[in-house]
Amino acid sequence: MVLTDKLTETRELIADSLRSKAAACFTCSFQAEDMVVLSLVREQIPNVPVLFLETGYHFADVYRYRDEMTQRYALNLVNVMPEKTVAEQESQFGLLYQSAPDRCCKLRKVEPLFRALADYEVWFTGLRRVQSPTRANLQPADVFPLPSGKILRKISPLAAWTDQEVWSFAKEYDIPLLPLYEKGYTSIGCEPCTALPMDPENLRSGRWAGRKLECGIHIAKG
Ligand code: SF4
């Protein structure tokens, strides 16, 4: 395996983050890096709550894969739900993902997640610096203020990992990956807002048709 030293550092970071025994969770979109972080965090807390933002707009492949992985690894899956169903939101506001994607993400991702995170002290993510220019300065260990004022420890164990290292780990540990990668997708979110990448150098360039690069969670200041 090519990343032995980095893997050791990553495991140490996760262990350090958990030393205080504070309540920890992991937000998971079931993309490749998430499956790697999930594997590493579960080495230390097998029952870690796996928070999935159930926007109601995911690809059928993502729901199928989520359910398969949940069963395969006996995950403690927590579907984080928005206040309104897709039908309620669309009947009230129309297709917000077309007319106002920031508002749609706020209602279906950002606000539900911040409510869910209130139960925890340590938040693990699968973010990596190479995913997007918006993530270039990502720190492996950071703090994150929720709107309530509560401060979380936000841990991104793979901050410095390359694509090749993620794929290498998945292969080594026999982790199956989302079939959508085989169709050319490099970053996978809600179906209406996900396309093949427009810029091969920017993995997230297929998201939101280039209108934005982040749903708002990781650039929020609380
Ligand atoms: S990614 Fe698109 S569909 Fe999903 S919550 Fe954001 S705007 Fe809505």
Side-chain angles (χ1 to χ4, degrees), residues 55 57-58 89 96-98 100-109 189-194 207-208 212 215:
T55 63
Y57 282 123
H58 291 286
Q89 179 173 303
L96 283 181
Y97 58 78
Q98 288 180 352
D102 279 345
R103 188 165 175 217
C104 187
C105 282
K106 186 165 184 268
L107 292 171
R108 308 202 74 75
K109 289 183 167 184
C190 295
E191 185 170 11
C193 303
T194 300
R207 304 287 293 274
W208 295 285
K212 62 179 194 155
C215 64

Side-chain angles (χ1 to χ4, degrees), residues 3 20 36 40 62 68 81 83-84 122 130 138 142 188-190 193 195 198 215:
L3 64 151
S20 66
V36 173
L40 292 168
V62 170
E68 285 172 7
M81 310 295 292
E83 286 185 340
K84 292 183 193 300
V122 180
V130 295
L138 175 72
D142 206 347
I188 299 153
C190 295
C193 303
M198 295 183 282
C215 64

Side-chain angles (χ1 to χ4, degrees), residues 3-219:
L3 64 151
T4 308
D5 290 346
K6 199 178 267 186
L7 190 50
T8 301
E9 281 174 26
T10 303
R11 285 190 165 113
E12 285 172 359
L13 171 66
I14 295 170
D16 283 347
S17 311
L18 296 170
R19 228 174 281 291
S20 66
K21 310 274 186 223
C25 69
F26 171 55
T27 45
C28 184
S29 63
F30 289 92
Q31 295 184 76
E33 40 277 280
D34 287 339
M35 297 310 293
V36 173
V37 176
L38 183 55
S39 172
L40 292 168
V41 171
R42 290 186 71 251
E43 288 176 358
Q44 302 187 43
I45 36 174
N47 205 32
V48 63
V50 178
L51 274 51
F52 175 73
L53 296 179
E54 185 16 340
T55 63
Y57 282 123
H58 291 286
F59 287 88
D61 275 350
V62 170
Y63 287 118
R64 198 174 307 116
Y65 177 80
R66 174 201 64 180
D67 293 343
E68 285 172 7
M69 294 304 104
T70 298
Q71 189 170 32
R72 177 179 176 130
Y73 297 113
L75 299 180
N76 179 12
L77 180 71
V78 179
N79 285 309
V80 176
M81 310 295 292
E83 286 185 340
K84 292 183 193 300
T85 65
V86 165
E88 288 168 346
Q89 179 173 303
E90 290 188 354
S91 71
Q92 192 170 353
F93 303 122
L95 301 179
L96 283 181
Y97 58 78
Q98 288 180 352
S99 61
D102 279 345
R103 188 165 175 217
C104 187
C105 282
K106 186 165 184 268
L107 292 171
R108 308 202 74 75
K109 289 183 167 184
V110 181
E111 291 179 348
L113 177 63
F114 287 176
R115 285 194 292 274
L117 287 174
D119 293 337
Y120 303 98
E121 311 295 328
V122 180
W123 170 22
F124 288 103
T125 84
L127 302 181
R128 293 186 297 130
R129 292 187 190 126
V130 295
Q131 286 170 328
S132 165
T134 52
R135 300 182 178 181
N137 297 317
L138 175 72
Q139 297 303 309
D142 206 347
V143 292
F144 188 89
L146 291 175
S148 64
K150 180 172 181 173
I151 307 289
L152 302 178
R153 296 186 65 205
K154 181 179 177 184
I155 310 297
S156 303
L158 305 194
W161 283 41
T162 65
D163 297 345
Q164 191 194 356
E165 288 166 338
V166 169
W167 257 254
S168 167
F169 182 98
K171 189 170 177 202
E172 177 95 6
Y173 284 79
D174 194 26
I175 300 171
L177 298 179
L178 254 176
L180 288 167
Y181 289 114
E182 290 164 19
K183 297 179 182 172
Y185 292 95
T186 54
S187 177
I188 299 153
C190 295
E191 185 170 11
C193 303
T194 300
L196 298 176
M198 295 183 282
D199 172 4
E201 299 299 315
N202 182 348
L203 301 183
R204 290 174 65 80
S205 60
R207 304 287 293 274
W208 295 285
R211 293 168 75 185
K212 62 179 194 155
L213 286 171
E214 298 285 348
C215 64
I217 291 168
H218 300 293
I219 52 176

